Amino acid sequence: MGIIRKTKSLKRVLDTFQKSDAAISVVQLIDNMKHHMNKTTVYRILDRLKQEGIVHSFHGKDGLKWYAKCSDHSSHQNTDTHPHFHCNHCGAVECLPIDIQIPDIPNLQISSAEVILAGICSKCNP
Amino acid sequence: MGIIRKTKSLKRVLDTFQKSDAAISVVQLIDNMKHHMNKTTVYRILDRLKQEGIVHSFHGKDGLKWYAKCSDHSSHQNTDTHPHFHCNHCGAVECLPIDIQIPDIPNLQISSAEVILAGICSKCNP
DNA sequence: AAATTTAATGCAACTAAATTGCATTAGCAA
DNA sequence: TTGCTAATGCAATTTAGTTGCATTAAATTT
């Protein structure tokens, strides 16, 4: 399993993630790629990239699915609990390289966390 | 504006929230109510209950919309940042009465946070 | 308690995200 | 260059959520 063939489509999507640290929504990516590949292909490429630990996914504050590349050091950023920040002004979403401290809750075994923060990013906040 | 009429449908939905602290997904609620009202009505009643500060909404780890009643003391639980816990075993979702500490990030103005935790709840974890 | 007003509902049609089945295409190894 | 099959394109489908409009039923007034 995993990525077996380096197709043009795959390279094109991969390029998007390698050129920028920013997260991108599936909807946006499909639109960006619409002249080059089918939306089904985008979905399937994202699945493969995720399986390979190259990107991770999360749900934005609107419930839509977003993807971002995993940071270089941890190739399994899908399992850790770094938060995602959504700028309410420009719409950009970025991974924050910090760890949110989840307090121990009695009687609960917490194994994962998804944290979506929203506000104004540095570019929009002079 | 707000809730003006106490209709049978509204009372029925309200009952669901008053009988239990558990959160419920819209999809589940529509199914529970399917013999009593239309799905459009469920959506609209949830909107009204939210406007009134009786319930709050959030997106579950699957991206679906969930609702839960606001705790009695704070009638604006929609604005605070309590986390929601999703049991991977039984599927139940509950509000956690704690505050997650979001660290200050340089250059970011954070105005809201949505925290979804997942793991095993007390009932499923003997 | 009948008449009136309009919030609330039901229903069908619609939008948009995501998935599936299947025929076709194109990596890549032999 | 050939053969295998992963990957793709495309159309159809599923599902969450929304919208417009005619009808119904709370609540208010007479």
Side-chain angles (χ1 to χ4, degrees), chain B residues 25-38:
Chain B
S25 71
V26 178
V27 172
Q28 180 67 58
L29 188 59
I30 287 172
D31 194 64
N32 290 0
M33 296 290 154
K34 71 182 167 198
H35 298 302
H36 303 292
M37 71 193 75
N38 191 271

Side-chain angles (χ1 to χ4, degrees), chain B residues 5-121:
Chain B
R5 295 183 187 179
K6 287 242 166 190
T7 63
K8 287 180 187 173
S9 298
L10 184 127
K11 283 183 211 159
R12 197 163 233 134
V13 171
L14 204 49
D15 240 43
T16 303
F17 288 104
Q18 280 165 347
K19 277 185 184 152
S20 158
D21 283 348
I24 185 168
S25 71
V26 178
V27 172
Q28 180 67 58
L29 188 59
I30 287 172
D31 194 64
N32 290 0
M33 296 290 154
K34 71 182 167 198
H35 298 302
H36 303 292
M37 71 193 75
N38 191 271
K39 68 170 177 172
T40 310
T41 303
V42 175
Y43 279 110
R44 291 194 274 225
I45 286 176
L46 289 173
D47 282 347
R48 273 180 276 152
L49 291 178
K50 186 179 173 180
Q51 268 201 343
E52 289 296 302
I54 295 166
V55 302
H56 61 284
S57 71
F58 56 95
H59 291 277
K61 58 172 188 154
D62 48 3
L64 293 191
K65 214 164 186 187
W66 288 68
Y67 283 82
K69 82 171 154 197
C70 294
S71 63
D72 292 335
H73 33 94
S74 84
S75 76
H76 47 3
Q77 197 166 12
N78 0 16
T79 59
D80 69 37
T81 68
H82 70 277
H84 294 98
F85 177 83
H86 191 134
C87 178
N88 289 326
H89 190 258
C90 68
V93 173
E94 57 178 309
C95 300
L96 297 185
I98 59 171
D99 239 17
I100 294 285
Q101 224 43 38
I102 305 296
D104 274 344
I105 322 276
N107 305 319
L108 292 187
Q109 273 186 17
I110 295 175
S111 55
S112 70
E114 212 173 272
V115 179
I116 306 293
L117 307 176
I120 307 294
C121 76

